[in-house]
């Protein structure tokens, strides 16, 4: 499919959801963007996006936190623990807006 088109629509939805203060919607869009980034080999961006999605899901007590956690586990396997840990630490200090490209 049109992956760049999908990513653009996710970013547009992310902006709208942020404006509406829809935290669950923000987390879902971050998770969706993380999935696309991981599939496209943009692993550092994927880690950052999943980290922020998982934080929001957990803050909200959402069952979707498991989705982001699984994405992070998959990335840890692909990257190796040391590289993953380094990206995870950077992801904690990177704003999700920067990682999402908005």
């Amino acid at each position: 499919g049109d992956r760049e088109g999908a990513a653009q629509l996710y970013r547009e939805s992310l902006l709208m959801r942020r404006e509406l203060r829809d935290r669950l919607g923000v987390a879902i869009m971050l998770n969706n963007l993380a999935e696309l980034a991981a599939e496209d080999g943009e692993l550092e961006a994927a880690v950052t996006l999943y980290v922020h999605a998982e934080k929001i899901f957990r803050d909200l007590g959402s069952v979707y936190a498991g989705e982001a956690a699984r994405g992070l586990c998959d990335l840890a396997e692909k990257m190796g623990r040391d590289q993953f840990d380094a990206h995870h630490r950077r992801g904690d200090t990177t704003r999700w807006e920067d990682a999402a490209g908005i």
Side-chain angles (χ1 to χ4, degrees):
D2 180 10
R3 300 177 68 69
E4 186 51 43
Q8 184 57 39
L9 290 173
Y10 288 153
R11 285 189 290 271
E12 289 173 14
S13 179
L14 183 57
L15 288 170
M16 287 187 282
R17 291 170 187 282
R18 180 180 66 178
E19 188 174 314
L20 294 170
R21 297 179 186 193
D22 173 9
R23 294 184 68 217
L24 179 61
V26 165
I28 291 170
M29 290 305 107
L30 292 174
N31 197 78
N32 291 348
L33 286 166
E35 289 175 359
L36 285 179
E39 291 169 5
D40 289 343
E42 298 171 16
L43 302 184
E44 185 171 355
V47 170
T48 299
L49 293 163
Y50 275 133
V51 163
H52 288 285
E54 184 184 34
K55 279 183 190 176
I56 296 169
F57 286 141
R58 288 197 190 285
D59 286 350
L60 296 174
S62 172
V63 297
Y64 294 121
E67 293 295 318
R70 276 189 288 286
L72 287 167
C73 286
D74 290 346
L75 289 172
E77 277 185 34
K78 285 181 187 174
M79 300 170 88
R81 181 51 64 182
D82 290 340
Q83 184 181 13
F84 173 79
D85 287 345
H87 288 314
H88 195 284
R89 282 190 299 276
R90 276 195 294 276
D92 276 334
T93 60
T94 302
R95 293 172 359 115
W96 63 257
E97 291 90 344
D98 296 331
I102 60 169

